[in-house]
Amino acid sequence: MEGFAPAVFTPRKAGEHRIAVLQQGDDKKPVLAVEFITPDFLELSKAEAAGARAIQAVRENSEVVEAYGFPARRFENDELPGLSRLIISVETAFHLWRDWNFAEVDPATKQPVVLELNRTNIARLLEDQQVRAVWGAHLEAASPLERDEGNGSAASPTGTTAKAATSAPNVESSTDPAPAGGETTPETSAPG
């Protein structure tokens, strides 16, 4: 293909340990990070299936959500899609995360204490939509193909880390883009 050097791609190795920064830190607050394993498609499928089973169980028994740290209650049909996204994220994290530094301040000592890595605490963290989105992005980035020659960049949405060639034809600058003075009626799909 013109403009692109030959590139050999290999899948990332399932089981590789990776670090995901879920929230940036500063001078007063440390970075929030998790260590997770790169999943293969079977591991990811198991996690997603566990989330689907949990959502089905919530429909049948409202006490199931207590495992995620929520009070037992009946969820309305329009609440289930949002709950489903959260629970599937929690299950994926529960299956893949190996360590983290998520902590809370101990009231007695006033010192941060790292929380146990369990579904309830994962749900507390992933309830935050931005943190959940960052986790999803890290999970997606762990799965794409990686260049064999060691390029550390993940594949872009177009599937390449290379700059794409320009394919648009040249246009004469003297061509008017539209009739002057609104001489035509704009096209619309609105009724009437």
Side-chain angles (χ1 to χ4, degrees), residues 113-187:
V113 177
V114 175
L115 298 172
E116 180 183 349
L117 186 58
N118 60 31
R119 283 179 175 91
T120 300
N121 289 331
I122 292 170
R124 284 177 56 192
L125 182 60
L126 293 181
E127 262 189 292
D128 183 290
Q129 187 174 350
Q130 289 181 335
V131 171
R132 192 169 62 248
V134 170
W135 160 237
H138 278 283
L139 182 58
E140 288 294 321
S143 301
L145 301 174
E146 181 177 43
R147 285 182 171 278
D148 196 30
E149 70 269 13
N151 181 347
S153 300
S156 71
T158 62
T160 179
T161 56
K163 183 179 175 185
T166 302
S167 59
N170 289 334
V171 177
E172 295 293 324
S173 61
S174 63
T175 307
D176 289 332
E183 297 167 2
T184 60
T185 305
E187 291 184 23

Side-chain angles (χ1 to χ4, degrees), residues 59-95:
R59 290 179 182 179
E60 297 167 5
N61 180 355
S62 61
E63 294 175 2
V64 171
V65 296
E66 291 177 339
Y68 299 94
F70 301 114
R73 73 174 181 88
R74 179 142 176 81
F75 287 87
E76 301 298 323
N77 284 337
D78 60 345
E79 294 175 309
L80 287 174
L83 182 64
S84 177
R85 283 191 296 275
L86 175 61
I87 288 179
I88 288 173
S89 292
V90 169
E91 286 298 328
T92 304
F94 184 75
H95 281 81

Side-chain angles (χ1 to χ4, degrees), residues 14-15 38-45 96:
T38 302
D40 62 13
F41 73 95
L42 290 174
E43 188 67 31
L44 200 52
S45 295
L96 300 178

